[in-house]
């Protein structure tokens, strides 16, 4: 592959999207790209719909259909975006782990105790070991990319997948915040017995002392224990519930004003964790746990645009819980591209 300088001189961004195995048909490889996007086909602990393990592939398939001109960053493609091949072992362990996790989940839903049942204890341990392996892999890959001066994004898979990337960022940055877009708070501790559950990602993130603030947007499906955790956090967790945001919109508060209020508590460096079930389900109907309500895609872009305009720096992102359908892949591909371009405005 030629160096980036040669690619910039020879590639026509207005040409036909190439089916070359890379996101958006861009002609970059690992060495020439400034942004590495890791696809993680993993959905072991999903507790409702399956299919998000196919999400990264759906985004990759849809991405060459996008035109590359971006109103926020017209030359953003020149940063170089590259998605390495997804390791086969991750999908294989996801499929095997899903079978074991389903047995555990079904037993719990029927009131069967896992403790003291050797077969179910073994299944639970197998799932948890596999989750740790994926987490370790992504942490190592992210550390490598960051060490080479690259920026990183993640496409899931269920929402457990970005933990390794966030852990790697915590080793590089002593203080940063999380902007979390989601229908769910994801603050459960080892939900259903799985430490790396999709419903526990933010609980795991908060175990990192480098994360000084978690700001959540779009939350509308939440447990009593999670609300108690938010209320007891002494401001470390700031949650904007979707019904409250909508009520304020109905009463006349502009979305731009709400965006500025949402980002105000965040520190200078911010990681964006974007579960697409934070959107109106019409946009990603195949997501793992859809909930009525939610944001429009342009409202999310406005929020991130406001973050960048405030002088804050986006240090990484994930787009998680993408479903397997063509429409889900289309919407998520546009989200990933926009986030790459907005991140590039303050590289």
């Amino acid at each position: 592959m030629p160096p980036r300088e040669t690619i910039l001189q020879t590639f026509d961004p207005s040409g036909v999207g190439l089916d070359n195995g890379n996101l958006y048909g861009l002609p970059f490889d690992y060495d020439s790209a400034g942004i590495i996007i890791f696809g993680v086909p993993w959905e072991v602990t999903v507790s409702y719909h399956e299919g998000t393990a196919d999400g990264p592939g759906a985004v990759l398939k849809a991405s060459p259909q996008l035109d590359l001109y971006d109103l926020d960053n017209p030359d953003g493609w020149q940063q170089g975006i590259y998605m390495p091949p997804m390791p086969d072992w991750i999908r294989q362990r996801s499929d095997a782990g899903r079978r074991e996790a389903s047995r555990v989940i079904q037993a719990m839903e029927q009131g069967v105790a896992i403790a003291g049942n050797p077969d179910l204890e073994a299944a639970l341990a197998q799932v948890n070991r596999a989750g740790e392996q994926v987490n370790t892999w992504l942490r190592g890959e992210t550390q490598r990319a960051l060490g080479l001066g690259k920026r990183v994004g993640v496409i899931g898979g269920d929402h457990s997948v970005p933990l390794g990337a966030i852990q790697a960022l915590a080793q590089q940055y002593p203080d940063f915040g999380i902007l979390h877009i989601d229908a769910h708070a994801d603050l459960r501790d080892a939900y259903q017995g799985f430490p790396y559950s999709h419903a526990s990602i933010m609980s795991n993130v908060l175990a990192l002392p480098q994360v000084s603030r978690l700001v959540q947007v779009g939350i509308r499906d939440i447990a009593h224990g999670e609300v108690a955790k938010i209320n007891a956090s002494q401001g470390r967790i700031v949650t904007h519930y979707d019904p409250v945001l909508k009520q304020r919109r109905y009463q006349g508060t502009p979305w731009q004003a709400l965006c500025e209020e949402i980002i105000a508590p965040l520190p200078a460096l911010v990681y964006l964790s974007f579960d697409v079930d934070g959107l109106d389900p019409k946009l990603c109907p195949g997501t793992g746990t859809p909930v009525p309500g939610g944001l429009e895609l342009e409202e999310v872009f406005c929020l991130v645009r406001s973050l960048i305009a405030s002088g804050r720096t986006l240090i990484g992102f994930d787009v998680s819980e993408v479903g397997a359908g063509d429409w889900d892949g289309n919407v998520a591909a546009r989200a990933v591209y926009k986030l790459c371009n907005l991140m590039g405005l303050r590289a």
Side-chain angles (χ1 to χ4, degrees):
M1 182 72 69
R4 188 188 307 180
E5 293 74 16
T6 302
I7 294 172
L8 299 184
Q9 293 172 2
T10 58
F11 178 70
D12 178 10
S14 298
V16 175
L18 301 176
D19 184 13
N20 62 1
N22 188 28
L23 282 172
Y24 313 108
L26 290 170
F28 299 97
D29 62 6
Y30 192 99
D31 293 331
S32 58
I35 300 176
I36 305 299
I37 305 293
F38 293 108
V40 186
W42 181 263
E43 61 170 3
V44 170
T45 65
V46 292
S47 47
Y48 193 34
H49 289 162
E50 297 182 2
T52 57
D54 293 315
V59 173
L60 180 62
K61 178 182 177 182
S63 66
Q65 300 302 316
L66 275 66
D67 285 320
L68 297 177
Y69 187 91
D70 181 80
L71 288 172
D72 290 297
N73 190 354
D75 295 325
W77 69 270
Q78 295 183 8
Q79 301 172 92
I81 302 169
Y82 177 67
M83 183 177 179
M86 290 175 276
D88 291 337
W89 68 265
I90 293 181
R91 183 55 189 267
Q92 291 167 2
R93 292 183 195 181
S94 177
D95 291 344
R98 179 64 192 148
R99 291 190 291 271
E100 296 303 302
S102 295
R103 294 173 54 219
V104 173
I105 293 169
Q106 183 177 17
M108 293 186 71
E109 290 176 344
Q110 293 175 351
V112 176
I114 306 301
N117 184 315
D119 185 45
L120 292 175
E121 287 181 332
L124 179 61
Q126 178 181 331
V127 170
N128 291 339
R129 282 194 302 270
E132 177 62 32
Q133 289 166 344
V134 172
N135 186 51
T136 299
W137 170 80
L138 183 58
R139 183 168 62 246
E141 291 298 316
T142 302
Q143 288 171 333
R144 177 191 173 208
L146 294 174
L148 294 170
K150 301 178 187 297
R151 286 158 293 153
V152 169
V154 177
I155 304 174
D158 73 45
H159 204 177
S160 70
V161 300
L163 180 59
I166 299 171
Q167 289 174 330
L169 288 165
Q171 294 180 336
Q172 177 152 329
Y173 299 106
D175 178 76
F176 64 99
I178 305 288
L179 178 58
H180 173 208
I181 297 169
D182 205 320
H184 311 88
D186 290 347
L187 289 169
R188 297 174 184 261
D189 295 322
Y191 184 57
Q192 297 177 320
F194 305 118
Y196 301 109
S197 170
H198 67 102
S200 302
I201 177 65
M202 291 303 149
S203 181
N204 291 331
V205 165
L206 288 170
L208 300 169
Q210 295 90 338
V211 176
S212 57
R213 189 65 56 86
L214 169 63
V215 174
Q216 304 181 298
V217 184
I219 309 302
R220 55 195 186 276
D221 202 10
I222 191 168
H224 287 78
E226 292 175 299
V227 174
K229 183 177 288 190
I230 292 166
N231 293 340
S233 72
Q234 298 182 323
R236 190 181 181 204
I237 308 172
V238 180
T239 302
H240 295 273
Y241 297 101
D242 190 61
V244 176
L245 290 172
K246 283 188 167 54
Q247 185 66 27
R248 293 184 64 187
R249 292 285 300 277
Y250 303 153
Q251 292 170 344
T253 304
W255 178 244
Q256 180 62 46
L258 292 174
C259 288
E260 293 171 5
E261 180 180 322
I262 289 166
I263 65 175
L266 287 164
L269 304 179
V270 179
Y271 176 92
L272 174 66
S273 191
F274 181 9
D275 184 330
V276 298
D277 70 28
L279 297 170
D280 186 311
K282 70 189 178 192
L283 294 168
C284 286
T287 191
T289 314
V291 182
L295 302 171
E296 295 293 337
L297 188 61
E298 283 297 335
E299 289 177 323
V300 173
F301 293 166
C302 180
L303 177 59
V304 183
R305 194 178 291 124
S306 299
L307 180 83
I308 301 300
S310 74
R312 292 170 173 83
T313 299
L314 187 63
I315 60 173
F317 67 86
D318 65 80
V319 177
S320 299
E321 302 275 354
V322 179
D326 288 343
W327 181 240
D328 298 74
N330 184 321
V331 170
R334 295 173 189 279
V336 170
Y337 190 58
K338 175 62 75 173
L339 294 177
C340 286
N341 289 326
L342 289 172
M343 185 164 63
L345 291 176
R346 291 188 59 83

